[in-house]
Amino acid sequence: MKAKFLLLLLLVVLFQVNTSFAREMKSAHRIELSATTKIQHRSIPIIPIAFVESPMVSIDFLVPVTSVTIIIKDAETEEVVYTSTDLNVEKLNINLTGEEKGKYVLEIQLPATSYAGEFELD
């Protein structure tokens, strides 16, 4: 009897965790990045993955990168709203609180390649 109760309790707890995680991820949108420089075929390219969940922009490189420069510009005016150069990072979270709603351009500059993609703040 106790074993059945504990199993049922465990299933209920796991179900709650899964549904709350799904609700949190529902508003995150992937930023489609495209290479703006030619990728060298002799090395394994680092292809970052970027998501926006207003006002947070998250970038995951999947492996540590020696250096990266991140530039975020307003898509209409090309005004730089955020810039940063970081060393030895694998993930970055950028808080754009205070920026107006609208379209922005994300530029990721790695030592060998550069990527760009558009996203929208809601």
Side-chain angles (χ1 to χ4, degrees):
M1 183 74 175
K2 285 185 182 181
K4 286 183 182 180
F5 176 73
L6 289 176
L7 181 62
L8 181 62
L9 182 64
L10 178 64
L11 289 174
V12 169
V13 169
L14 288 176
F15 182 71
Q16 287 294 103
V17 170
N18 284 340
T19 56
S20 64
F21 180 73
R23 268 187 258 126
E24 290 176 15
M25 291 300 293
K26 190 167 59 172
S27 62
H29 301 285
R30 185 171 180 165
I31 301 171
E32 295 298 325
L33 298 172
S34 58
T36 57
T37 58
K38 187 176 179 180
I39 298 174
Q40 298 176 359
H41 293 289
R42 293 188 176 196
S43 63
I44 298 172
I46 297 171
I47 302 173
I49 300 170
F51 288 92
V52 62
E53 185 175 9
S54 291
M56 295 294 295
V57 175
S58 301
I59 304 168
D60 192 349
F61 298 101
L62 305 176
V63 296
V65 294
T66 55
S67 70
V68 61
T69 300
I70 306 294
I71 302 169
I72 298 177
K73 299 178 184 177
D74 186 305
E76 293 178 9
T77 64
E78 295 191 13
E79 175 189 359
V80 174
V81 297
Y82 178 88
T83 184
S84 170
T85 300
D86 297 288
L87 304 173
N88 300 319
V89 294
E90 188 172 339
K91 290 183 179 185
L92 287 172
N93 291 312
I94 302 164
N95 190 345
L96 295 177
T97 300
E99 296 302 328
E100 295 182 16
K101 294 180 181 181
K103 290 189 177 186
Y104 291 86
V105 176
L106 169 65
E107 296 179 8
I108 302 172
Q109 299 172 355
L110 297 167
T113 56
S114 296
Y115 296 91
E118 281 195 0
F119 66 94
E120 196 166 337
L121 286 180
D122 299 331

